[in-house]
Amino acid sequence: MSSMRSSNPGAMVVLIASAVGIAIALYAYLTPLTGVNGTLGALVVIVTCAILVALGLGLALCHGRGLHNLLRVVAIAFIVGTAFAALLLHLWWLAIAMAVALVGLLIDIFRPSPAHRTTS
């Protein structure tokens, strides 16, 4: 049985970038004088990053092709929406974290499935 890290590095990048996004959004939400502390927008971004963590975990653990593709589509929508919200909130580091999450998702999309990989 292979570990989660070696089986799907793209999903792990999404998972880590989303966790970093939660930390950035929490800092902006809780710290005074950030410009967005206590706002609904920052709270929504925290929730969407938490959902992205769950999607990244689902991508890492999922083995069914149909469910995996559904998770990819939902994850792309959440990543783009969260990045857009981050830009509106002037949370540049969060937008960069979402760009990294998008790169991880692209790695997951373009990496061949385990059935097509050769074993040595």
Side-chain angles (χ1 to χ4, degrees):
M1 197 160 173
S2 64
S3 69
M4 193 172 24
R5 185 180 64 186
S6 65
S7 65
N8 200 340
M12 292 308 295
V13 171
V14 172
L15 184 67
I16 292 168
S18 301
V20 168
I22 288 175
I24 294 167
L26 273 172
Y27 174 80
Y29 182 75
L30 296 174
T31 305
L33 300 176
T34 57
V36 295
N37 61 314
T39 62
L40 181 63
L43 189 60
V44 168
V45 168
I46 293 168
V47 171
T48 58
C49 284
I51 292 170
L52 276 170
V53 166
L55 288 171
L57 190 59
L59 284 171
L61 298 176
C62 177
H63 296 294
R65 184 175 180 181
L67 180 61
H68 202 80
N69 288 337
L70 176 67
L71 290 175
R72 286 173 177 166
V73 170
V74 173
I76 234 169
F78 269 92
I79 289 170
V80 170
T82 304
F84 182 68
L87 292 175
L88 290 176
L89 292 169
H90 298 280
L91 297 176
W92 311 117
W93 288 108
L94 181 60
I96 291 169
M98 290 302 104
V100 171
L102 184 62
V103 168
L105 191 61
L106 290 174
I107 290 170
D108 181 64
I109 290 171
F110 291 113
R111 188 167 185 253
S113 66
H116 294 104
R117 279 185 249 150
T118 59
T119 57
S120 32

